[in-house]
Amino acid sequence: MTGPGEEPFIAAVKPLVDAIGGEMLPPDEAGQDDVVLSWEGADVVAVRLPQLADSLDHILAALERRQGRPLAELDRRAKQEVVRMLEARGAFSVRHGVETVAGALGVSRFTVYNYLNREKGA
């Protein structure tokens, strides 16, 4: 999959691909919806982007790792901050986004909507 000088490129983009929950594969295996990355005029790696709902699950898992505990164990203020951050990243435009976030936070959908509305009213 790689030639001379291409391994550093792949190493450089891997953290980004991992952060979004993508998958790296050889460029010749790229599908129509995959993104092929080139380096110095040659196709080096293809990135298969996750479905939006999978991205939300990936983001929630990353937040739990960052917090060092389940999101449901956070205090109210921290949960509100998580909701604000997720809203900024478009989490609530994903089908069932509110339900998914509510489940991860251990709160009701109504509570998530309250957190969202409180931010808009502030």
Side-chain angles (χ1 to χ4, degrees):
M1 177 163 74
T2 62
E6 294 171 356
E7 291 84 0
F9 177 78
I10 291 174
V13 298
K14 186 174 183 343
L16 175 61
V17 173
D18 290 346
I20 63 170
E23 176 186 352
M24 296 173 75
L25 51 139
D28 59 348
E29 294 180 19
Q32 178 179 334
D33 295 327
D34 296 333
V35 178
V36 177
L37 302 177
S38 299
W39 181 252
E40 297 180 347
D43 292 344
V44 177
V45 65
V47 177
R48 180 153 297 150
L49 301 173
Q51 298 296 312
L52 288 175
D54 294 337
S55 290
L56 180 54
D57 290 337
H58 190 80
I59 290 167
L60 289 167
L63 285 170
E64 281 198 347
R65 284 192 303 276
R66 191 176 310 150
Q67 295 290 333
R69 59 187 166 155
L71 297 176
E73 294 178 4
L74 299 175
D75 64 25
R76 183 172 49 91
R77 174 174 264 149
K79 288 178 182 182
Q80 289 171 336
E81 183 60 34
V82 166
V83 168
R84 279 192 292 277
M85 189 275 305
L86 290 170
E87 182 182 29
R89 293 183 72 177
F92 302 112
S93 64
V94 175
R95 188 166 187 237
H96 303 297
V98 170
E99 292 85 350
T100 301
V101 171
L105 293 176
V107 300
S108 68
R109 288 184 344 212
F110 180 76
T111 298
V112 172
Y113 284 118
N114 277 340
Y115 291 168
L116 291 167
N117 290 332
R118 178 169 310 175
E119 182 66 21
K120 288 181 173 89

